Structures are given as C-alpha cells and as structure tokens.
Amino acid sequence: MEIRKAAAKDFDIILEIYAGAREFMRNTGNANQWKNIYPTPKTIEDDIKKENLYTVCENDEILAVFA
C-alpha cells in the first residue's frame, strides 16, 4: 500500500470515492455533514493543484482519499 499526492488524472476516481463516502454517511445516520455537495469538484481540483490531496493506493488502484 502506498500514499501519494493526488494528480489531475485521478479526478474522476476521486469524485466516485467521495460520492460513495456521502452515500455511506447518509445510510449510517450522518446525512447532514456533507450533504450532496461537499466536497465540490472545484474543491477537489483546488486541493489537487495545491498538493493538499492524497490517495491511498494498492496495485495502482486508488482505495481512499484524504486532505
């Protein structure tokens, strides 16, 4: 397993991961923290550009994301 800075090429997968996280939160009683709008695509793009977003990868597959 490796941790690396997110890159622009990771954007679509990162969007999917965050969508899954929001769904999980809704389904487990935390429907209000991120709602359906956080993080926005702009926030993700900015975090990638600022090098503040990281991915957890295994065998070149992104498993998780954190800022």
Side-chain angles (χ1 to χ4, degrees), residues 6-63:
K9 67 182 177 78
D10 304 324
F11 182 78
D12 290 336
I13 294 167
I14 292 169
L15 282 178
E16 290 177 25
I17 289 171
Y18 278 124
R22 286 189 298 271
E23 181 177 351
F24 176 82
M25 290 166 65
R26 277 192 308 274
N27 292 337
T28 57
N30 187 5
N32 296 316
Q33 183 176 352
W34 282 3
K35 302 198 186 232
N36 285 324
I37 58 169
Y38 186 83
T40 66
K42 174 83 169 108
T43 299
I44 295 167
E45 288 174 351
D46 289 347
D47 282 345
I48 290 171
K49 287 177 186 172
K50 293 177 185 174
E51 298 185 345
N52 290 333
L53 193 64
Y54 295 84
T55 61
V56 179
C57 303
E58 187 168 71
N59 299 325
D60 294 325
E61 179 182 358
I62 298 174
L63 305 176

